[in-house]
Amino acid sequence: MGNDYIPLRIAGVGYSVPETVITNEDLTKLYETSDEWIYTRTGIKERRVVSGNETALDLGFDAAKKAIEKAGISVNDIDCIIAAASVPPQLYPTLACTMQAMLGIEKTIPAFDLTAACTGLIYALQVARGFIGAGIYKTILIVAADNNSKITNWEDRGTSILFGDGAGAMVVTASEDGIDDILSIKISANGSIGQMIQTNMPSKCCPLVKQADTVGDGLIHMNGKEVYKFAVSTVPSYVEECIEASGMASDEIDYLIPHQANQRIIEAIQNRLKYSDEKVISNIKYYGNTSAASIPIALVEGVEQGKIKLGSTAVLCGFGAGMTWGGAVVRLREGIC
Ligand code: UT7
């Protein structure tokens, strides 16, 4: 951005996960697998899933309320809602519009969903930065909420071991002290390899015309090996580029808070940055891959558990369906969560 843009402040962050825990042992009731196989390949021991009438909306609402409280704002201060949702309970009304109503926001502020799968939080942050930087909006609520478990094929042991449900939320505002909490941010996509992770919607053509040869089942289909290769070949060098763009040296940054997709992918990024374990935030063991929510969940839980001290800096990175990927170097001010 140019020199005359308005800097952004990360004012509040919150998260929410469902109560119900599905362990690796539980999955052995569904297909032939073992805790040992899953844990050694992914670092995952358990994940949380919604049950009954609970959806990503409930999780998103809970996370949003926490982020709003931490930001010390009222819901009426919010002038735009961006939901990073790839598995919303409804395509429309969008998760963002329903969130506006659930929060009791009476002003007709804009609200929209943005789909960038597991990179959604970083995409939303970049969009919010553009709005705030240009002076269009002052206070934006980002909600990253997904219920992957509802579109997981629970007969497919290659994908259903990985995903979990959760939500994260972030309130970002125009920075009043002139300090920008985003030191660098980059988002990217390559649609030509997009078929690596697909969810094809069930649909029918008009009954008066020829029907399509194949009909989507609405479930996640993934070529795990290809996604793994893509992630380890693309993300570590991308993270280095983000750090370079921030003007900071890699060892000056306090934490790496990566998207939680696979512990081995996290370690590939860690090894590239030569970071010690204390600098790398990983909670994949307990939540699996919660899509766009994974970064804010790892951030807030890291603070709660004393792994992250605020008044610090962190490099965030995400990747996922699209294929999309993104990274940011951010300032984590005291009191944000
Ligand atoms: O946000 C992006 C999200 N996606 C990712 O990050 C995915 C990245 N990829 C991965 O994490 C890994 O590819 C997986 C963990 C999904 C799979 O590990 P893999 O080492 O690539 O296994 P594979 O799919 O190549 O399967 C190897 C073998 C196969 O058996 P055969 O054909 O060699 O006899 C599978 O049938 O392991 C078998 N297998 C399993 N065995 C026990 C696949 N899933 C399981 C399972 N338990 N859950």
Side-chain angles (χ1 to χ4, degrees):
M1 285 203 187
N3 290 332
D4 52 354
Y5 79 99
I6 297 164
L8 176 148
R9 173 180 181 142
I10 299 174
V13 193
Y15 82 100
S16 180
V17 288
E19 292 271 303
T20 311
V21 175
I22 302 290
T23 63
N24 290 347
E25 201 55 43
D26 292 331
L27 295 179
T28 64
K29 294 176 202 148
L30 299 178
Y31 39 70
E32 204 186 315
T33 190
S34 66
D35 174 52
E36 200 257 331
W37 194 98
I38 300 171
Y39 186 60
T40 49
R41 275 175 184 74
T42 67
I44 300 167
K45 281 271 180 194
E46 57 191 48
R47 70 286 294 142
R48 304 287 185 103
V49 296
V50 291
S51 62
N53 296 328
E54 188 181 31
T55 71
L57 266 168
D58 303 296
L59 306 176
F61 180 53
D62 191 33
K65 281 190 298 186
K66 290 175 185 164
I68 290 165
E69 196 201 316
K70 281 291 172 185
I73 60 159
S74 120
V75 289
N76 293 317
D77 295 327
I78 297 169
D79 37 32
C80 176
I81 301 176
I82 306 173
S86 33
V87 190
Q90 290 178 292
L91 269 183
Y92 42 83
T94 60
L95 198 140
C97 286
T98 308
M99 196 62 57
Q100 177 195 25
M102 286 171 90
L103 288 168
I105 299 174
E106 285 166 10
K107 285 192 291 179
T108 55
I109 57 162
F112 61 93
D113 287 9
L114 164 164
T115 304
C118 302
T119 325
L121 191 274
I122 295 179
Y123 264 66
L125 198 54
Q126 175 71 302
V127 172
R129 183 182 190 235
F131 280 148
I132 286 174
I136 297 170
Y137 303 119
K138 272 196 174 150
T139 304
I140 300 179
L141 170 67
I142 297 170
V143 183
D146 272 321
N147 41 220
N148 293 304
S149 67
K150 291 202 170 211
I151 62 156
T152 295
N153 178 355
W154 290 100
E155 289 171 8
D156 175 6
R157 60 184 186 166
T159 55
S160 56
I161 54 169
L162 296 175
F163 295 100
D165 301 334
M170 217 178 233
V171 171
V172 294
T173 64
S175 175
E176 274 162 12
D177 59 10
I179 296 172
D180 199 339
D181 291 348
I182 301 206
L183 296 156
S184 71
I185 185 162
K186 249 162 80 105
I187 51 175
S188 299
N190 182 357
S192 73
I193 51 167
Q195 62 291 343
M196 279 182 197
I197 312 176
Q198 298 176 36
T199 295
N200 302 310
M201 302 305 287
S203 60
K204 279 183 186 161
C205 292
C206 163
L208 302 174
V209 302
K210 185 176 177 295
Q211 296 297 308
D213 295 333
T214 54
V215 176
D217 59 7
L219 301 174
I220 303 172
H221 295 270
M222 181 182 70
N223 183 334
K225 264 215 166 7
E226 288 305 312
V227 175
Y228 185 86
K229 279 194 245 163
F230 156 79
V232 295
S233 64
T234 307
V235 184
S237 54
Y238 194 77
V239 171
E240 280 187 324
E241 287 167 31
C242 289
I243 292 176
E244 206 181 312
S246 75
M248 291 182 79
S250 171
D251 57 8
E252 287 172 336
I253 295 173
D254 298 304
Y255 306 103
L256 164 67
I257 311 177
H259 168 48
Q260 311 281 310
N262 179 313
Q263 183 59 27
R264 290 186 298 156
I265 298 173
I266 295 174
E267 283 165 13
I269 307 166
Q270 171 177 7
N271 292 341
R272 178 68 77 100
L273 298 180
K274 300 191 179 68
Y275 278 9
S276 62
D277 290 348
E278 293 69 46
K279 288 180 76 143
V280 181
I281 307 305
S282 169
N283 63 3
I284 190 169
K285 191 170 175 183
Y286 302 106
Y287 301 111
N289 179 345
T290 55
S291 299
S294 82
I295 293 172
I297 295 175
L299 163 58
V300 183
E301 202 198 53
V303 172
E304 285 170 357
Q305 295 180 345
K307 292 184 204 160
I308 297 177
K309 302 254 174 302
L310 294 174
S312 54
T313 50
V315 55
L316 319 177
C317 63
F319 65 93
M323 299 300 286
T324 57
W325 61 103
V329 176
V330 297
R331 218 181 286 283
L332 304 173
R333 300 193 196 211
E334 276 166 28
I336 62 169
C337 54

